[in-house]
């Protein structure tokens, strides 16, 4: 298919070459317009580790020399379902099983919103978890479990031993793809129309 376009391009006469260049210029101008109005996206990240009331499962593999070759953390039971706390499309959550750390990412078209959204989420985590544990405490009858939940309420950092707030934004600028694909499409659209015009002239 590409060979056909290349061969046909060399056969375009001067008249239709002007058509090609005119259409190509229009398409490139449109591409430049799309590029200019496409806003830059800003991104910010925060991190936290959540230990559920029943703990978490850690799997460690070692080689014959005792060197750790693999580690993974699986959340336990009886705690918050962290993914359900994401209420905004601009927030994304991921879990690194290798270290059991969650990454919370926010994206926006201005440089201040991502940091605010990430840090607001992290600050709300402690409040949501405390409320969750208080409700859980009401349904527990076994005294030993009650004491455990009460200690978690009294010491929130047991549940969240690691919280790293967002302190900087990164620019996520993929507008170069607009130029790249715009140039390719402009070339093929212009060439296709020119070839069709050439064929019509030959009939």
């Amino acid at each position: 298919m590409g060979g056909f376009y290349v061969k046909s391009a060399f056969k375009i006469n001067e008249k239709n070459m002007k058509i090609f260049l005119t259409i190509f210029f229009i398409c490139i101008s449109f591409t430049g317009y799309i590029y200019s109005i496409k806003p830059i996206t800003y991104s910010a990240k925060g991190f936290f580790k959540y230990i559920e009331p029943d703990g978490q499962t850690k799997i460690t593999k070692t080689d014959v020399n005792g060197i750790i070759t693999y580690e993974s953390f699986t959340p336990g039971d009886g705690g918050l379902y962290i993914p359900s706390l994401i209420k905004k499309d601009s927030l994304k959550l991921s879990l690194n099983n290798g270290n059991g750390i969650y990454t919370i990412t926010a994206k926006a078209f201005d440089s201040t919103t991502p940091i605010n959204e990430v840090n607001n989420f992290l600050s709300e985590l402690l409040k949501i978890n405390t409320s969750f544990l208080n409700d859980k405490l009401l349904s527990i009858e076994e005294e030993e479990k009650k004491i455990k939940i009460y200690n978690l309420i009294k010491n929130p950092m047991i549940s969240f031993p690691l919280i790293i707030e967002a302190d900087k934004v990164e620019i996520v600028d993929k507008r170069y793809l607009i130029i790249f694909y715009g140039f390719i499409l402009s070339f093929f659209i212009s060439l296709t129309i020119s070839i069709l015009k050439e064929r019509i002239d030959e009939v």
Side-chain angles (χ1 to χ4, degrees), residues 101-203:
I101 295 176
Y102 288 88
T103 300
I104 180 72
T105 306
K107 291 183 178 180
F109 294 132
D110 66 90
S111 59
T112 57
T113 298
I115 289 180
N116 291 336
E117 288 195 346
V118 168
N119 292 342
N120 287 341
F121 175 85
L122 293 176
S123 65
E124 285 296 312
L125 271 177
L126 298 178
K127 298 176 185 177
I128 293 171
N129 188 54
T130 298
S131 177
F132 168 80
L133 292 174
N134 277 318
D135 290 340
K136 189 178 181 69
L137 190 62
L138 298 175
S139 62
I140 295 176
E141 296 182 357
E142 189 177 332
E143 191 63 29
E144 185 177 340
K145 288 186 177 180
K146 277 188 175 184
I147 293 173
K148 182 178 180 180
I149 297 300
Y150 177 76
N151 285 332
L152 293 176
I153 295 172
K154 189 177 180 181
N155 303 286
M157 299 314 295
I158 295 177
S159 297
F160 295 94
L162 172 71
I163 294 181
I164 301 176
E165 293 188 336
D167 59 359
K168 64 179 180 179
V169 292
E170 297 178 358
I171 296 176
V172 183
D173 189 1
K174 294 186 177 181
R175 294 182 302 167
Y176 65 89
L177 293 175
I178 296 175
I179 299 296
F180 177 74
Y181 288 114
F183 180 87
I184 293 175
L185 287 174
S186 297
F187 177 80
F188 281 107
I189 290 172
S190 304
L191 190 56
T192 300
I193 294 175
S194 300
I195 292 171
L196 289 176
K197 181 66 169 58
E198 187 83 14
R199 297 293 181 267
I200 292 173
D201 291 343
E202 291 174 356
V203 174

Side-chain angles (χ1 to χ4, degrees), residues 27-44:
C27 291
I28 286 295
S29 298
F30 182 72
T31 298
Y33 172 73
I34 297 297
Y35 176 88
S36 66
I37 63 173
K38 179 71 174 177
I40 295 175
T41 302
Y42 296 89
S43 173

Side-chain angles (χ1 to χ4, degrees), residues 1-11 188 191-192 195-196 199:
M1 188 67 177
F4 168 77
Y5 274 100
V6 173
K7 292 177 182 178
S8 299
F10 284 110
K11 295 180 180 179
F188 281 107
L191 190 56
T192 300
I195 292 171
L196 289 176
R199 297 293 181 267

